[in-house]
Amino acid sequence: MAETPPPADPVEEATRIFLDHRELLFSVVYAMLGGVADTEDVLQETWLAWASRWRGASPGEIAGPRAYLVRIAVNAALARQAAVSRRRETYVGPWLPEPVVGGPAAGPVAASATGQDAAEPALRAESVSMALMVVLETLAPVERAVFVLYEVFGYAHTEIAAMLGRSPASVRQLAHRARGHVRARRPRYRSDPGARRQVTERFLAAALGGDLDALMRVLAPDVTMWTDGGGKARASILRPVRGRDKVARLIAGVTSHIPDGVDVHYRTVNGDPSAVLFDGDSPFAVMVVDLDPDGDQVTGIYAVTNPDKLTHVAHPPHDTPSEG
């Protein structure tokens, strides 16, 4: 008779299950909070609650670890939202999500590139694009949670109701209201990654090269620019700037503060082809552009220059040529 294998160590088993779902949990919580550090804190709380519950559970008591983990993470994120909102009330200038930088953007070298950020697979979909995250900031916390769970991750109203302790009818109302709010501000279309990379290159070439004519051609008439310096970066602005002429003048002012010899690397940022600027080994700015439905003009520019939001952005290996 074959020997019965020893029971799995509870801590090891709990760790394995948590790690199997960590990518999903990161994406859900990040879409709710918009900050990498806050997301990591919530995931730590989720792990502690999960490990404690797993150790105290009888065999088979937790039938659906995925649903259980998501419920813990979502409610921990909602609990943290109040503190996050208070910080943003005193934030200097426009607030943008903390960028998550992944591998090389769509382009000639992308196919052979390796070493992508560990969090990047969770950030490939529009769920966490910079443009959508800005719109999600205008939702109430519970509306945002429902939108993320229903519209992005496909959870049923009944599942979300169980997670949030609400009735399915109230969840349906929240989902309907959030969906209408988001669609009114963010039409559902996705530009081709290759086109986004090309327009991003054209935009940066015109901006960094001081070519005003080329810059005006690439900007849409109703373009809007957000510059998140948090009051700590030079050329910070206090509110988004709208209109081609005003944005072009702002860009001219911003680029005058960019150090000589800055390196530009084309990477994915929140799942979209974007640009990361480095001053030596230090990240200087993350630039993300949003395109019109035709994919040939810039309708939104998101520039993160707050050094506190760039601390986790690593410079590519020195023996790797700059992409682009």
Side-chain angles (χ1 to χ4, degrees), residues 180-197:
H181 182 95
V182 171
R183 288 182 177 175
R185 293 161 177 78
R186 176 64 183 166
R188 295 295 290 258
Y189 63 83
R190 295 286 288 164
S191 57
D192 175 74
R196 186 184 290 266
R197 162 74 184 257

Side-chain angles (χ1 to χ4, degrees), residues 99-150:
V100 176
V101 179
V109 301
S112 61
T114 58
Q116 294 185 3
D117 188 288
E120 195 235 350
L123 305 177
R124 291 175 181 163
E126 192 201 19
S127 59
V128 289
S129 72
M130 195 71 72
L132 182 61
M133 292 282 280
V134 168
V135 176
L136 293 184
E137 280 296 306
T138 63
L139 296 176
V142 175
E143 287 180 338
R144 182 169 181 169
V146 170
F147 181 90
V148 168
L149 292 169
Y150 180 70

Side-chain angles (χ1 to χ4, degrees), residues 105-265:
V109 301
S112 61
T114 58
Q116 294 185 3
D117 188 288
E120 195 235 350
L123 305 177
R124 291 175 181 163
E126 192 201 19
S127 59
V128 289
S129 72
M130 195 71 72
L132 182 61
M133 292 282 280
V134 168
V135 176
L136 293 184
E137 280 296 306
T138 63
L139 296 176
V142 175
E143 287 180 338
R144 182 169 181 169
V146 170
F147 181 90
V148 168
L149 292 169
Y150 180 70
E151 293 286 336
V152 177
F153 294 97
Y155 283 93
H157 292 138
T158 52
E159 294 176 294
I160 300 171
M163 291 179 192
L164 302 180
R166 291 172 175 258
S167 69
S170 69
V171 168
R172 278 193 294 272
Q173 289 179 339
L174 287 167
H176 177 75
R177 187 161 62 238
R179 183 169 58 250
H181 182 95
V182 171
R183 288 182 177 175
R185 293 161 177 78
R186 176 64 183 166
R188 295 295 290 258
Y189 63 83
R190 295 286 288 164
S191 57
D192 175 74
R196 186 184 290 266
R197 162 74 184 257
Q198 291 176 358
V199 175
T200 301
E201 290 183 356
R202 285 168 46 208
F203 165 73
L204 274 177
L208 298 179
D211 188 340
L212 184 59
D213 290 339
L215 186 61
M216 295 292 279
R217 286 194 299 271
V218 79
L219 296 178
D222 58 348
V223 62
T224 301
M225 182 169 183
W226 290 259
T227 301
D228 181 348
K232 300 181 179 182
R234 298 179 69 181
S236 294
I237 60 174
L238 298 180
R239 59 186 59 83
V241 174
R242 294 176 173 85
R244 179 188 283 154
D245 292 339
K246 291 181 180 179
V247 168
R249 287 197 298 270
L250 173 62
I251 290 172
V254 170
T255 55
S256 68
H257 297 289
I258 293 180
D260 293 333
V262 67
D263 292 326
V264 179
H265 293 261

Side-chain angles (χ1 to χ4, degrees), residues 35-105:
V36 173
D38 287 313
T39 297
E40 293 292 355
D41 287 346
V42 167
L43 262 57
Q44 178 66 15
E45 294 173 23
T46 303
W47 156 247
L48 293 173
W50 163 250
S52 175
R53 181 72 177 88
W54 183 263
R55 285 194 299 268
S58 57
E61 183 177 343
I62 302 178
R66 176 188 175 103
Y68 190 86
L69 284 164
V70 172
R71 183 170 73 249
I72 295 173
V74 166
N75 283 280
L78 285 171
R80 180 170 290 263
Q81 185 63 57
V84 171
S85 297
R86 284 196 297 271
R87 290 204 306 267
R88 290 179 193 166
E89 288 175 359
T90 58
Y91 197 79
V92 178
W95 182 94
L96 291 174
E98 191 174 353
V100 176
V101 179

